[in-house]
Amino acid sequence: GIWFHAYFVTEQKPKGFKWGRGNGWVAVAEAELLSALPPDHPKRPAVLGIYRRHMAGIQKRQDTSGLWHQVLDHPELSWGTETSCSGQFAYAMARGLNRGWLDETFRETLRRALTGIASRVTPEGGLNGVCQSTSIGRDLEYYNARPKKDNDQHGFGLVLFALAEAYEMENKKTD
């Protein structure tokens, strides 16, 4: 259910690593597309199926901290968990819960994610544990050697997306 970072056209094969923020951008795009796609669109069931399979794959790879790893299919790497992709996944799950696309098993996953993300916010409003910009690497060490930064611009907006959607979920009026 999770996506490879890239596809090498010249080699006609996917890149063998499933990078967190790359999967995060797909998750955000899926949630945004489903939000805009009319309910009667003929491709909506297919898009919804792709989104649900992706979210189920992401859910299975959540770390005990509530966050997700820099490389989703290699949690053993020393890089550890990454904040920006965790924000992206939390956003996509919160949107899915808000819109009824995901079942209630995702509520606990989201709660753990938000707790993990909160642990990365500093008292000054900074954000720790964000991967610096990443292009496509040919080996696992490339991803493991990416600089981990505090207050990197790749994290703030993604975390705010997640918090805004979770806030909406928590403040929904029930009839």
Side-chain angles (χ1 to χ4, degrees), residues 78-89:
S78 62
W79 206 102
T81 55
E82 204 275 339
T83 309
S84 65
C85 74
S86 298
Q88 291 168 306
F89 300 145

Side-chain angles (χ1 to χ4, degrees), residues 3-5 17-29 54 58 68-72 79 81-89 127-135 142-143 146-149 152-159:
W3 298 58
F4 289 98
H5 186 180
F17 307 107
K18 297 174 180 180
W19 182 46
R21 198 162 54 231
N23 270 267
W25 283 120
V26 173
V28 168
H54 192 204
I58 295 300
W68 282 268
H69 288 268
Q70 159 75 338
V71 180
L72 298 171
W79 206 102
T81 55
E82 204 275 339
T83 309
S84 65
C85 74
S86 298
Q88 291 168 306
F89 300 145
L127 190 63
N128 294 332
V130 177
C131 179
Q132 186 176 354
S133 182
T134 303
S135 58
Y142 170 81
Y143 293 91
R146 298 305 303 150
K148 185 183 289 190
K149 297 182 75 182
D152 186 89
Q153 298 304 310
H154 290 87
F156 290 106
L158 302 173
V159 167

Side-chain angles (χ1 to χ4, degrees), residues 64-122:
T64 56
S65 68
L67 302 170
W68 282 268
H69 288 268
Q70 159 75 338
V71 180
L72 298 171
D73 56 338
H74 287 280
E76 76 282 0
L77 293 179
S78 62
W79 206 102
T81 55
E82 204 275 339
T83 309
S84 65
C85 74
S86 298
Q88 291 168 306
F89 300 145
Y91 165 75
M93 287 180 190
R95 174 63 61 96
L97 287 163
N98 279 339
R99 305 287 171 96
W101 308 327
L102 295 175
D103 65 49
E104 287 299 309
T105 64
F106 284 88
R107 196 169 297 277
E108 179 59 21
T109 304
L110 176 60
R111 187 200 61 74
R112 287 192 311 267
L114 294 171
T115 300
I117 291 167
S119 75
R120 296 286 175 90
V121 178
T122 70

Side-chain angles (χ1 to χ4, degrees), residues 4-17 136-138:
F4 289 98
H5 186 180
Y7 184 84
F8 290 135
V9 176
T10 56
E11 298 171 22
Q12 296 188 356
K13 68 178 183 178
K15 183 65 193 141
F17 307 107
I136 303 162
R138 290 201 169 264

